[in-house]
Amino acid sequence: MQSKSHREFLTTAAETYQAAMAGSMAQEYLENRGVNLPAASMSRLGYVDPNQTLPGHEMYKGMLCIPYHTVHGGVVAMKFRVIDDRPGSRYLWPPGQTSHLYNVTDTVSGKPYIAICEGELDTVVASSVCGINSVGIAGVSHWKPHHPRVLRGFRDVFVITDNDDKESGDNPGQELARKIINDITHARNIVLPRGQDISDFVLQNGKDALPSLLGLTDAA
């Protein structure tokens, strides 16, 4: 079980990195993905300024910080995204960190629907840019048996995963969609154009296109 002091450290880190976002490399990276500064602030995204890096986070200097906030406040997890051309994995988790649903604060919005997106940044686009009530899953292996209980009670559940375009024919996004729909039988798979994720779709078609695709009229 995560200690109170560790949650307090993560919350302090998230606040520190969010304060460093404006004017940073991370802001430019996000804007190229269709996430402006107000949307980034709404999702509390941050930048790990090399001059303001907290102890233990030295390996994440210069990266985008994606905090996992809880419904009742505080941060339970944190993910980092490489935004320059350094080699290696694009996404990094702190050692020992467990999987969580991303953006769970949207589960208490009072809206009768929820969208499940693949990846944190696509969730940011859906929620903070397009105004769609959304949570995120980092990938197939991160969907856990208890997640359907967290999403119980929503009248409509939309599953919007990447429609991967790979020569091998593999489509992990649609594999994730099938796994979710197997556990939430009334969920609907919203299929994006081949080779696109949510960010691609919204950049190409505008922020109103995604709510329209879902048939929503209350996104804002």
Side-chain angles (χ1 to χ4, degrees):
M1 186 174 179
Q2 197 176 57
S3 68
K4 180 181 178 182
S5 61
H6 185 59
R7 286 198 181 197
E8 289 174 346
F9 169 77
L10 290 177
T11 300
T12 298
E15 292 170 350
T16 300
Y17 301 149
Q18 183 181 352
M21 171 62 75
S24 70
M25 292 171 54
Q27 180 183 350
E28 181 180 1
Y29 168 79
L30 290 170
E31 287 176 345
N32 287 334
R33 293 197 59 162
V35 180
N36 60 21
L37 188 58
S41 297
M42 192 181 303
S43 295
R44 301 182 230 186
L45 301 178
Y47 173 65
V48 187
D49 188 325
N51 298 315
Q52 297 178 331
T53 303
L54 271 67
H57 285 175
E58 289 82 7
M59 70 180 69
Y60 311 123
K61 288 181 179 181
M63 295 186 187
L64 173 70
C65 174
I66 306 171
Y68 279 58
H69 284 266
T70 64
V71 169
H72 301 294
V75 177
V76 293
M78 192 166 280
K79 195 171 183 179
F80 299 90
R81 210 290 181 187
V82 173
I83 55 177
D84 55 25
D85 58 358
R86 74 186 73 178
S89 299
R90 297 287 89 191
Y91 286 96
L92 299 176
W93 295 83
Q97 184 169 276
T98 56
S99 296
H100 297 271
L101 274 176
Y102 175 68
N103 201 42
V104 293
T105 51
D106 272 14
T107 64
V108 294
S109 69
K111 293 183 179 180
Y113 71 88
I114 193 81
I116 305 174
C117 308
E118 183 183 5
E120 296 86 0
L121 293 183
D122 272 3
T123 307
V124 170
V125 173
S127 179
S128 297
V129 176
C130 300
I132 297 171
N133 208 43
S134 307
V135 295
I137 298 292
V140 176
S141 64
H142 293 273
W143 179 253
K144 303 301 180 183
H146 68 276
H147 287 158
R149 295 195 297 274
V150 178
L151 303 175
R152 184 181 298 150
F154 286 100
R155 183 193 65 205
D156 298 304
V157 179
F158 305 104
V159 184
I160 320 172
T161 55
D162 297 359
N163 193 0
D164 304 280
D165 188 9
K166 297 188 175 182
E167 293 181 2
S168 64
D170 294 337
N171 198 328
Q174 290 303 293
E175 182 183 345
L176 173 60
R178 287 191 294 271
K179 191 171 185 178
I180 294 171
I181 292 170
N182 184 65
D183 291 341
I184 305 177
T185 55
H186 70 289
R188 287 189 284 150
N189 185 15
I190 306 299
V191 182
L192 298 172
R194 187 71 171 168
Q196 290 193 354
D197 58 18
I198 289 174
S199 297
D200 298 326
F201 181 78
V202 172
L203 280 171
Q204 182 173 320
N205 300 286
K207 69 176 186 177
D208 295 329
L210 194 62
S212 178
L213 185 65
L214 274 58
L216 299 174
T217 58
D218 65 343

